[in-house]
Amino acid sequence: MTQGALLSEVEGQVQGHRDGHGFLVPDDGQSDIYLASQEMHPVMHGDRLRVRIVRYDKRGRPEGRVLEILDRKKRPIIGRLLLESGIWLVAPEDKRMGQDILIPKNGIANATAGQVVAVELTEPPSLYSQPVGRVVEVLGEIDDPGMEIEIAVRKYDVPHRFSAETQAQAAKLPERLRAVDLKQRIDLRDVPLVTIDGEDARDFDDAVYCEPHKQGRGKSAFSGWRLLVAIADVSHYVKPGEPLDLDAYERATSVYFPRRVIPMLPEKLSNGLCSLNPNEDRLSMVCDMLIDADGETRAYQFYPAVICSHARLTYNEVAAVLANTHGPEASKRRDLVPHLLHLHEVYRVLLDHRKKRGAVDFETTETQIVCDDNGRIEKIVPRTRNEAHRLIEEAMLAANVCAADFIEGGKHHALFRVHEGPTPEKRTALQAYLRALGLGLGLSDDPKPGEYQAIAAATKERPDATQIHSMLLRSMQQAIYTSANAGHFGLAYPAYTHFTSPIRRYPDLLVHRVIKAMLGGKRYHLDATKMQVPMPAKRPGRSKPINPAEASTELERWEVAGAHCSANERRADEASRDVEAWLKCRYMREHLGEEFSGTVSAVTSFGLFVQLDALYVEGLIHITELGGEYYRFDEVRQELRGERTGIRYATGARVRVQVSRVDLDGRKIDFRLIRDGLDASEARGTPRVHRDKTGQAVDSDSAVAALDRVRRQDREAKAGRKRADGSKPAAASAADHPIKAARTAARKPGGKAASKSAVQTVAKAAESRSRKRR
């Protein structure tokens, strides 16, 4: 680093840490700047600052000093109202805030101690004083059903109330289709399209239909399937610049929580007019495709239509029909069975084509939280993907690819769903990890999706498959929305976009508008209201983002819209994970002290993350709970290794743990290790083989036995020095001490040879100990 950089001034947004310090995230995308605890006194998480870099640590990381607070975060702060020694204060739910907020007695509104409240700052913090605020909203008691969701939507600034203008516009919408709505639309109401969704789905934005199709003769003959994917025509009701559109763009996505959804559109649209409910006429945009026996889309067209869904089917129902066409489920849907079989046929060829492309397909276990009437976890069950899930997924992928191809062919600006491969740094780290495992599989310097899929397929039966697949996923970049098409690495598509979910994703609504404009021979232009968004954050490995206020060209405006939608997608994911973590912590408080078997799901420098078999909950065994041993973290192999015993803990290891602590505020669950390695009846799969320092293979049970033996020897050695009552231990016999034994043997007749033999034995033992120390 240059001296100039040392004294340079940088602007950015501050991110607090629960331990009191913080980091400035620079606008220009440079490295984060560390801010010590004393520098964080006058600022709070989310503020915009100007800082000066004052020093670098030994690893070259910058440390800053706050020069100016450019902008204060104006959103209300959520926390619990407390009364301590006659002083009212609010402890923020977001621990990154770092400071409690003082509340004057006349500022508590009608809240009582212990309630969850929203606070507005009246005096910001300073070097010598805490922030002061007043209560602006009382959310209720911490144990109220759904309180964790109320906290999360405010903690992550998720818009959860529609504006009065939006509600008024939604109320004026018709209850059913009118004759004017059907103009210039293809009538497909006689086509037996069906929706296939989960049991708990309420909005149905896609319907499908398939039939065999043949046309032409000779070399130009086509034999395959005609696949129709009908998507709710949200763009017919949500027009650019109107209140409905403004609120939808601000949200950018629906947010899904257990038992509750924060929708992108009002319920009258999301569950009513736009939802493809069974036996009701609905407006849609249709992607009509011809797919050949090789899974190639030979032709497609888009057009607006009116449809009538012939049935609302669930994944489990369709899977049962496909498994047994003469079963009870099939008999209930006898008229639809042939069409479902055609859908399954086209799915099979699309799946084969997916494999030929080399698309990455990791088999992961997703879980579903089942709540009781009070919103608390009743149980957590695995969500299994069946043939019906995959069938719908392949149909949606095919329609999305056609949409991207149509837009690219028309040279129109739009939002593409881009997923790039590994950066050079991540690729190098992954290559080192794979070499350390000795798999015999690696990545080229310019990896293709097929290489990832080959590794995933070759390792899916290994006990550490979860860790390997996790490392493969982490090496790839996060998918984003952007105007510059760079393909989709994971799906192995040269161009890909989102077209199939306009009810819950704003980028899909924009794609619908673009396609409609192109069908009418026009171009769709983003309006200026799309630029009234915060400055997006810099993403690693990418250029500095465009300032929305300075977006002048059409391409720049699309880029701003993509960054906004990507950021809100991540915000929705964070809010959902926060609620799930809170619910799991609350659930595990009822299991404190209980023992469970589990599998090591991840290894870090500070301990092991373990997922419980029965409850599907993950917690941490801190490294201090692994026993009296110093463990070194091997970043390449992703494992912890004991320096003295050679015991290794890696992903896939089977352990038994006790729930020792639950931190509801920190969303953390701590386990205590009971024993690593389970009985054969409890184990799932083959245990990973560990090796000690000499290279000898040891399984988990023998490793624990070795550690217990070392501990026992240590205790015996300490007991031998001094007894608990203070008396000296009895003198050890000569046979118990190798040197004394050698001297005794030397004094006996023929002791010279015996002495030499004993001394050699002692020398070998000493040399062996010396080698182990080295």
Side-chain angles (χ1 to χ4, degrees):
M1 296 292 178
T2 64
Q3 187 67 20
L6 180 65
L7 300 176
S8 61
E9 297 180 6
V10 183
E11 294 183 3
Q13 189 174 52
V14 66
Q15 285 190 353
H17 191 277
R18 61 185 298 128
D19 292 339
H21 60 269
F23 297 91
L24 185 87
V25 181
D27 293 338
D28 59 7
Q30 299 300 313
S31 301
D32 292 354
I33 300 170
Y34 174 79
L35 299 175
S37 299
Q38 60 268 27
E39 294 294 327
M40 290 293 293
H41 278 307
V43 303
M44 300 189 76
H45 171 74
D47 292 348
R48 283 187 52 77
L49 313 175
R50 179 184 292 116
V51 306
R52 174 178 291 144
I53 299 175
V54 294
R55 65 177 64 86
Y56 288 90
D57 65 13
K58 294 180 180 179
R59 296 174 61 181
R61 296 174 297 188
E63 183 176 338
R65 179 173 297 159
V66 177
L67 296 178
E68 184 183 359
I69 300 171
L70 302 175
D71 187 32
R72 295 279 189 182
K73 186 176 181 181
K74 296 180 175 61
R75 296 268 187 178
I77 298 170
I78 308 302
R80 294 187 69 181
L81 183 65
L82 305 174
L83 180 61
E84 296 183 355
S85 303
I87 299 174
W88 290 95
L89 55 88
V90 168
E93 167 67 24
D94 191 344
K95 300 307 175 185
R96 295 175 297 181
M97 291 297 174
Q99 304 180 60
D100 292 341
I101 302 165
L102 298 175
I103 308 294
K105 190 174 182 180
N106 60 357
I108 64 171
N110 59 344
T112 58
Q115 287 188 313
V116 180
V117 298
V119 175
E120 181 181 78
L121 291 186
T122 56
E123 295 180 25
S126 68
L127 280 172
Y128 308 105
S129 64
Q130 286 180 255
V132 180
R134 64 184 182 89
V135 175
V136 293
E137 183 183 7
V138 180
L139 302 183
E141 303 294 337
I142 189 65
D143 290 327
D144 289 348
M147 180 55 65
E148 67 281 355
I149 298 176
E150 296 294 336
I151 292 173
V153 295
R154 293 164 175 82
K155 178 178 176 180
Y156 292 95
D157 297 334
V158 175
H160 58 287
R161 294 193 181 102
F162 289 106
S163 66
E165 294 80 7
T166 294
Q167 292 175 339
Q169 185 184 358
K172 293 179 181 177
L173 292 172
E175 297 296 332
R176 56 183 57 86
L177 296 189
R178 302 163 298 182
V180 67
D181 297 324
L182 306 183
K183 288 184 178 180
Q184 298 182 334
R185 289 182 179 271
I186 305 296
D187 192 340
L188 298 181
R189 284 176 285 190
D190 60 332
V191 177
L193 289 144
V194 296
T195 61
I196 305 175
D197 293 275
E199 281 79 357
D200 54 352
R202 296 179 61 194
D203 55 349
F204 312 112
D205 47 16
D206 58 83
V208 291
Y209 168 77
C210 184
E211 65 182 13
H213 185 81
K214 293 182 179 181
Q215 69 180 37
R217 294 181 179 179
K219 293 183 179 179
S220 61
F222 172 84
S223 178
W225 293 267
R226 181 189 180 197
L227 174 63
L228 271 65
V229 175
I231 305 299
D233 190 359
V234 177
S235 62
H236 180 82
Y237 301 101
V238 182
K239 304 295 185 182
E242 294 183 349
L244 275 171
D245 183 56
L246 297 178
D247 267 10
Y249 181 66
E250 183 187 12
R251 298 174 181 225
T253 181
S254 297
V255 187
Y256 292 86
F257 300 107
R259 299 180 75 241
R260 183 179 170 188
V261 178
I262 308 295
M264 186 182 78
L265 299 171
E267 189 171 340
K268 186 170 183 178
L269 284 169
S270 60
N271 296 344
L273 273 175
C274 292
S275 183
L276 306 183
N277 299 326
N279 304 314
E280 293 186 21
D281 294 350
R282 288 290 183 261
L283 304 182
S284 69
M285 283 293 293
V286 174
C287 180
D288 195 336
M289 296 165 278
L290 293 181
I291 297 173
D292 65 18
D294 294 325
E296 292 276 359
T297 303
R298 297 282 293 273
Y300 65 84
Q301 62 176 330
F302 289 93
Y303 51 82
V306 56
I307 71 165
C308 179
S309 171
H310 282 46
R312 180 267 199 266
L313 305 177
T314 66
Y315 293 122
N316 291 336
E317 187 178 3
V318 173
V321 171
L322 297 177
N324 183 4
T325 55
H326 299 287
E329 291 82 4
S331 62
K332 294 177 186 176
R333 307 287 188 180
R334 193 175 305 279
D335 295 340
L336 297 175
V337 169
H339 307 303
L340 294 178
L341 292 177
H342 295 325
L343 279 169
H344 189 254
E345 290 168 359
V346 79
Y347 151 69
R348 297 304 305 178
V349 299
L350 288 171
L351 187 63
D352 289 341
H353 187 255
R354 179 193 187 109
K355 294 175 181 176
K356 292 174 185 175
R357 291 197 321 269
V360 182
D361 187 14
F362 297 133
E363 285 293 335
T364 57
T365 302
E366 297 182 2
T367 57
Q368 177 183 1
I369 293 177
V370 179
C371 295
D372 58 21
D373 294 337
N374 294 321
R376 302 291 180 251
I377 292 181
E378 186 175 286
K379 59 183 177 179
I380 302 175
V381 296
R383 192 195 297 267
T384 55
R385 279 164 46 86
N386 55 40
E387 288 283 276
H389 287 89
R390 298 183 179 93
L391 182 154
I392 291 298
E393 180 183 338
E394 289 299 327
M396 298 304 112
L397 290 177
N400 286 335
V401 170
C402 291
D405 184 76
F406 184 66
I407 293 170
E408 271 221 312
K411 301 187 184 306
H412 198 296
H413 294 308
L415 291 184
F416 293 93
R417 184 66 168 177
V418 170
H419 180 228
E420 295 186 273
T423 62
E425 296 79 11
K426 289 185 176 182
R427 186 198 69 234
T428 302
L430 180 60
Q431 288 171 329
Y433 171 72
L434 295 173
R435 281 196 301 269
L437 291 180
L439 292 176
L441 296 169
L443 292 178
S444 62
D445 291 337
D446 183 20
K448 300 295 185 292
E451 297 177 49
Y452 273 72
Q453 183 58 24
I455 296 170
T459 58
K460 65 180 181 181
E461 301 299 332
R462 289 172 57 108
D464 56 352
T466 302
Q467 172 68 15
I468 296 172
H469 294 181
S470 175
M471 292 295 291
L472 291 172
L473 279 171
R474 279 168 22 192
S475 72
M476 294 185 284
Q477 301 182 54
Q478 190 175 25
I480 61 169
Y481 296 106
T482 177
S483 61
N485 176 38
H488 198 291
F489 181 85
L491 295 173
Y493 286 132
Y496 186 71
T497 191
H498 277 168
F499 162 79
T500 54
S501 297
I503 291 178
R504 60 185 180 90
R505 291 190 306 228
Y506 197 85
D508 302 54
L509 175 57
L510 289 176
V511 167
H512 276 236
R513 288 175 179 168
V514 169
I515 291 176
K516 268 191 174 181
M518 293 175 65
L519 291 175
K522 302 175 182 178
R523 296 185 71 83
Y524 174 73
H525 299 281
L526 283 174
D527 54 284
T529 56
K530 303 292 184 292
M531 302 304 105
Q532 298 172 9
V533 293
M535 175 76 179
K538 167 72 169 64
R539 291 177 57 79
R542 299 186 181 274
S543 58
K544 181 180 177 181
I546 298 169
N547 187 336
E550 299 173 359
S552 56
T553 68
E554 184 75 8
L555 184 63
E556 288 178 343
R557 292 191 172 207
W558 279 101
E559 196 61 34
V560 168
H564 170 75
C565 292
S566 298
N568 285 11
E569 179 186 42
R570 292 191 294 273
R571 178 182 67 183
D573 290 340
E574 289 172 356
S576 298
R577 284 195 296 267
D578 186 81
V579 168
E580 289 187 7
W582 192 93
L583 288 171
K584 288 179 178 179
C585 287
R586 182 64 182 265
Y587 180 54
M588 291 307 293
R589 286 205 307 189
E590 302 172 4
H591 298 279
L592 279 172
E594 295 182 23
E595 295 183 12
F596 300 93
S597 58
T599 304
V600 176
S601 57
V603 182
T604 68
S605 59
F606 51 85
L608 310 171
F609 284 97
V610 175
Q611 186 178 64
L612 305 183
D613 297 339
L615 303 181
Y616 297 96
V617 171
E618 193 174 64
L620 174 70
I621 304 176
H622 196 268
I623 196 167
T624 56
E625 295 285 344
L626 295 180
E629 167 78 289
Y630 180 78
Y631 287 90
R632 188 177 297 278
F633 177 57
D634 188 330
E635 189 171 1
V636 174
R637 294 177 179 270
Q638 292 288 302
E639 65 182 15
L640 286 174
R641 182 182 62 214
E643 289 214 332
R644 182 174 55 168
T645 60
I647 294 176
R648 298 181 181 185
Y649 291 98
T651 304
R654 303 284 289 127
V655 294
R656 189 159 184 84
V657 299
Q658 181 185 52
V659 182
S660 61
R661 179 174 174 269
V662 175
D663 179 6
L664 200 59
D665 292 335
R667 314 291 197 265
K668 295 178 180 178
I669 302 169
D670 290 336
F671 296 148
R672 184 172 67 85
L673 183 67
I674 302 300
R675 57 189 173 95
D676 60 338
L678 299 173
D679 298 334
S681 60
E682 297 178 273
R684 294 183 307 176
T686 306
R688 176 168 178 174
V689 175
H690 302 264
R691 296 187 181 276
D692 61 17
K693 290 187 175 182
T694 64
Q696 292 295 110
V698 293
D699 61 22
S700 297
D701 290 323
S702 60
V704 173
L707 182 58
D708 289 341
R709 187 166 59 254
V710 170
R711 290 173 177 167
R712 186 169 60 254
Q713 290 172 350
D714 286 348
R715 288 196 296 270
E716 290 172 354
K718 290 177 182 177
R721 296 191 192 102
K722 187 175 182 180
R723 293 189 181 277
D725 59 2
S727 62
K728 292 183 178 181
S733 66
D736 294 332
H737 201 291
I739 296 179
K740 289 182 179 180
R743 289 174 179 168
T744 302
R747 296 191 188 100
K748 293 180 180 179
K752 187 173 183 180
S755 175
K756 183 176 180 181
S757 175
V759 171
Q760 287 174 342
T761 302
V762 173
K764 288 180 180 178
E767 183 181 356
S768 175
R769 286 194 297 271
S770 177
R771 280 200 305 270
K772 287 183 178 180
R773 290 194 187 99
R774 291 198 295 269

